[in-house]
């Protein structure tokens, strides 16, 4: 809740539900890929919208067979390893296998990048980080830092 400011839960839920979502076509009939464009509003104490804070994309995958969501990008942590493990374990069709191992790119979802991350050791993952998608917390922090820097420079 620290990024939302102070607001009532109804207003916050409506804001979240109003975000733009795009469904990305891919070769699997069991995996749904989603990109959620998130413009976050910061509310003041009197519950009026103060300003937009952050402009980032979150990426989710949904496995229809397992009825399960996976955080693929934008989040502070991800479920890429579990996502790929589940596809390999519960692969129901050739399309699912081709979806993973043809190393295609579906919209912003670069399967080659996801598999490279998957095959890294835990130690390498921690050292190299996750380069397939930006983390929204880093994007928001950078935007906020740039706004403060610009404001300081304009005073001089």
């Amino acid at each position: 809740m620290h990024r939302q400011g102070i607001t009532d839960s109804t207003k916050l839920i409506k804001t979240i539900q109003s975000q733009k979502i795009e469904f990305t076509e891919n070769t699997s009939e069991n995996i749904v890929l989603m990109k959620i464009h998130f413009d976050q509003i910061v509310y003041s104490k009197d519950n009026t919208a103060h300003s937009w804070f952050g402009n980032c994309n979150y990426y989710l995958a949904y496995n229809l067979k397992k009825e399960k969501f996976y955080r693929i990008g934008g989040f502070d942590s991800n479920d890429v390893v579990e996502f790929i493990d589940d596809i390999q374990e519960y692969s129901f069709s050739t399309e699912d296998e081709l979806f993973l191992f043809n190393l295609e790119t579906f919209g912003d979802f670069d399967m080659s990048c996801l598999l490279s991350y998957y095959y890294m050791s835990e130690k390498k993952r921690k050292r190299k980080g996750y380069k397939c998608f930006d983390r929204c917390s880093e994007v928001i922090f950078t935007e906020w830092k740039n706004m403060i820097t610009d404001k300081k420079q304009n005073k001089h």
Side-chain angles (χ1 to χ4, degrees):
M1 284 289 215
H2 65 281
R3 289 189 210 131
Q4 284 77 20
I6 301 170
T7 189
D8 64 66
S9 60
T10 304
K11 188 176 273 191
L12 179 60
I13 289 169
K14 284 182 181 179
T15 299
I16 291 169
Q17 290 175 333
S18 70
Q19 302 306 303
K20 180 183 174 188
I21 185 167
E22 296 173 20
F23 295 93
T24 303
E25 289 187 34
N26 67 80
T27 57
S28 172
E29 54 191 44
N30 297 309
I31 302 296
V32 178
L33 300 175
M34 294 165 265
K35 173 182 175 179
I36 301 167
H37 183 73
F38 196 76
D39 281 326
Q40 190 167 7
I41 299 171
V42 174
Y43 291 97
S44 62
K45 289 181 183 177
D46 64 358
N47 278 332
T48 57
H50 182 64
S51 64
W52 255 257
F53 184 59
N55 180 3
C56 189
N57 295 315
Y58 289 93
Y59 297 88
L60 294 168
Y62 182 73
N63 186 324
L64 293 166
K65 293 289 185 181
K66 288 201 68 161
E67 298 180 347
K68 185 175 183 179
F69 283 96
Y70 306 89
R71 296 168 297 176
I72 303 298
F75 300 91
D76 287 341
S77 60
N78 68 65
D79 303 316
V80 171
V81 172
E82 187 177 358
F83 172 62
I84 294 174
D85 280 344
D86 283 354
I87 290 176
Q88 289 177 331
E89 186 175 339
Y90 299 100
S91 184
F92 297 100
S93 67
T94 306
E95 287 82 17
D96 289 344
E97 292 171 13
L98 292 174
F99 166 77
L100 264 185
F101 298 107
N102 272 355
L103 307 180
E104 291 185 48
T105 299
F106 305 105
D108 293 342
F109 292 82
D110 181 351
M111 299 315 291
S112 176
C113 185
L114 295 178
L115 280 170
S116 293
Y117 178 79
Y118 174 80
Y119 286 119
M120 280 184 209
S121 67
E122 187 68 32
K123 188 176 179 181
K124 273 190 179 179
R125 284 186 202 132
K126 286 182 181 183
R127 192 176 76 241
K128 290 190 173 198
Y130 184 53
K131 306 290 185 197
C132 301
F133 294 98
D134 291 331
R135 288 189 343 205
C136 288
S137 60
E138 291 175 356
V139 172
I140 291 169
F141 176 75
T142 302
E143 287 177 5
W144 182 252
K145 188 176 175 185
N146 289 342
M147 287 185 336
I148 291 171
T149 303
D150 290 347
K151 197 168 206 166
K152 284 180 181 179
Q153 289 175 350
N154 289 336
K155 284 185 177 182
H156 299 292

